[in-house]
Amino acid sequence: MEYRRLGNTGMKVSVLGFGSWVTFDNQLDNSLALECMQAAHDAGCNFFDNAEAYAGGRSEQIMGEVLRELGWPRWSYVVTTKLFWGIHGSDPNMRNTLNRKYLMQGIDASLERFGLDFVDVVYCHRADPDTPMEETVWAMSDMVTAGKATYWGTSEWNADEIRHAIDIAERHHLHKPVTEQSQYNLLERDKVEREYARLHAETGYGNTIWSPLASGLLTGKYKDGIPEDSRASLDGYGWLGERMSDEEALASIEQLRPIADRLGCSMAQLALAWCTKHPMVSSVITGASRPSQVVENMAALDVIPALTDEVKEEMEAALG
Ligand SMILES: NC(=O)c1ccc[n+]([C@@H]2O[C@H](COP(=O)([O-])OP(=O)(O)OC[C@H]3O[C@@H](n4cnc5c(N)ncnc54)[C@H](OP(=O)(O)O)[C@@H]3O)[C@@H](O)[C@H]2O)c1
């Protein structure tokens, strides 16, 4: 495994991480979740991503139970969560907010579900234009000071919002956010490659990127229809199914197949290896609906050296 600094921090994270969105509880019970986490860990993965909102809190519970069962030393892995959407109904202070009241209660509830004393990174899952930035930065910094989180970060914030948060933290000598968590893959490049370019160059802000396979689309496996055991077939995920059935996207992705064949890897491995090449990327958070996918995805590590600038350009040109 390759380990990279999380942004400008001294903490090293595996370049391939593992996350639980959609899959934990919906597709993976405790025993399959354990198999997946074990397979990732066997390959050297030390970065395990979660969020309060995943499966209405069940995802954090399952990950916590699995971690206890696996018995890995706490220092050997990084576990994360994200706060914003809330899971406690429609109370105005309990959903879609980064106000101090919610954040303070949200982190305590997450830690309780995990059964952990602290998470390593807590992200603000989205930006909240309704709460003054100073209030959010102060609350996130206090979480770090209280030892409930080691670092804090942002998810899908724009570059101006991140700059604003960093400026406030510097002005008040608070803990700064250290990493983004944004979507990045061969089909979704703009934010990481353009919007954050100067932010990354000037501050070293990191990124633990999500949906590296565009939710599975880049595996090329949906060209003959959506398998019944796919998350795109789950109740409530019809929007994923629609995306996976987009004929134009499916045809375009097929242009990558000859490149994967030539390099002797799967389309999934090719797409994951491509994501690791951007310098802002600290970790590529992979998702998987079954343990065999984890094994395949972690082996993308072996494909990274073959991803020369020429191959990268060839892939990008193939998608037009
Ligand atoms: N911050 C945010 O807002 C945010 C948003 C989304 C995700 N995330 C994080 O990022 C993580 C990864 O995102 P993601 O789950 O969308 O990642 P992804 O890698 O783009 O998609 C994962 C899905 O692709 C399919 N797949 C994966 N590996 C495969 C393989 N080798 N062969 C065939 N199919 C394969 C599986 O779907 P099938 O069920 O079809 O097999 C799997 O569930 C999440 O778990 C979460 O931790 C964060």
Side-chain angles (χ1 to χ4, degrees):
M1 182 55 71
E2 176 189 340
Y3 299 91
R4 295 182 179 177
R5 291 170 63 196
L6 178 71
N8 236 350
T9 76
M11 186 172 75
K12 301 269 172 59
V13 292
S14 50
V15 71
L16 297 177
F18 177 71
S20 60
W21 178 57
V22 186
T23 55
F24 276 36
D25 201 40
N26 286 310
Q27 294 170 291
L28 302 173
D29 60 10
N30 279 45
S31 127
L32 284 169
L34 184 144
E35 275 188 57
C36 285
M37 287 177 67
Q38 182 69 65
H41 188 260
D42 287 349
C45 171
N46 74 351
F47 188 90
F48 295 92
D49 186 64
N50 217 314
E52 60 169 6
Y54 295 171
R58 278 289 297 146
S59 172
E60 289 176 326
Q61 269 171 359
I62 292 174
M63 195 173 271
E65 285 158 13
V66 167
L67 286 168
R68 274 191 294 287
E69 204 170 332
L70 286 164
W72 302 331
R74 182 64 187 90
W75 48 260
S76 69
Y77 60 86
V78 168
V79 66
T80 74
T81 197
K82 311 186 211 58
L83 305 172
F84 171 70
W85 277 298
I87 55 172
H88 304 286
S90 58
D91 186 289
N93 285 319
M94 297 301 274
R95 53 177 295 145
N96 301 347
T97 182
L98 295 176
N99 72 31
R100 183 178 180 88
K101 176 173 169 58
Y102 183 69
L103 291 173
M104 290 307 170
Q105 293 176 209
I107 188 66
D108 286 346
S110 272
L111 293 176
E112 198 177 324
R113 283 189 293 273
F114 273 122
L116 291 173
D117 297 331
F118 66 96
V119 290
D120 296 281
V121 189
V122 57
Y123 297 86
C124 296
H125 211 155
R126 290 294 179 269
D128 171 14
D130 269 351
T131 296
M133 186 65 85
E134 195 164 310
E135 177 173 338
T136 297
V137 171
W138 212 287
M140 297 305 289
S141 177
D142 282 353
M143 254 180 234
V144 174
T145 303
K148 296 177 184 186
T150 314
Y151 301 99
W152 75 277
T154 55
S155 180
E156 296 295 335
W157 286 27
N158 66 41
D160 283 348
E161 289 162 337
I162 298 167
R163 287 273 188 183
H164 190 188
I166 292 174
D167 285 350
I168 289 171
E170 284 180 342
R171 199 176 320 134
H172 297 288
H173 303 287
L174 301 173
H175 294 286
K176 294 186 254 191
V178 300
T179 184
E180 238 292 311
Q181 185 174 131
S182 18
Q183 183 175 180
Y184 183 56
N185 56 54
L186 274 156
L187 306 175
E188 189 74 42
R189 300 171 48 190
D190 200 59
K191 213 163 184 174
V192 169
E193 294 181 7
R194 273 171 275 282
E195 181 174 343
Y196 296 150
R198 188 173 288 180
L199 171 77
H200 170 65
E202 291 177 1
T203 69
Y205 208 67
N207 210 330
T208 58
I209 60 109
W210 59 269
S211 284
L213 298 176
S215 274
L217 193 57
L218 285 161
T219 64
K221 75 173 179 185
Y222 307 105
K223 69 180 167 51
D224 302 320
I226 297 168
E228 258 177 41
D229 59 358
S230 165
R231 68 188 192 178
S233 300
L234 289 173
D235 282 348
Y237 290 91
W239 58 275
L240 263 183
E242 270 172 42
R243 196 161 172 220
M244 302 312 170
S245 315
D246 180 336
E247 294 291 338
E248 207 177 310
L250 290 168
S252 160
I253 285 157
E254 278 309 300
Q255 307 306 310
L256 296 171
R257 197 175 292 278
I259 304 175
D261 289 347
R262 194 179 74 226
L263 298 183
C265 66
S266 67
M267 303 249 299
Q269 290 169 333
L270 185 73
L272 293 173
W274 178 90
C275 292
T276 68
K277 287 299 194 177
H278 195 279
M280 189 187 190
V281 173
S282 299
S283 188
V284 171
I285 311 176
T286 64
S289 304
R290 62 194 71 109
S292 59
Q293 292 177 351
V294 181
V295 173
E296 179 182 333
N297 294 347
M298 291 293 142
L301 200 68
D302 302 331
V303 181
I304 299 174
L307 262 273
T308 58
D309 287 348
E310 291 73 33
V311 173
K312 234 177 127 259
E313 279 163 26
E314 189 186 350
M315 291 169 69
E316 290 158 13
L319 291 175

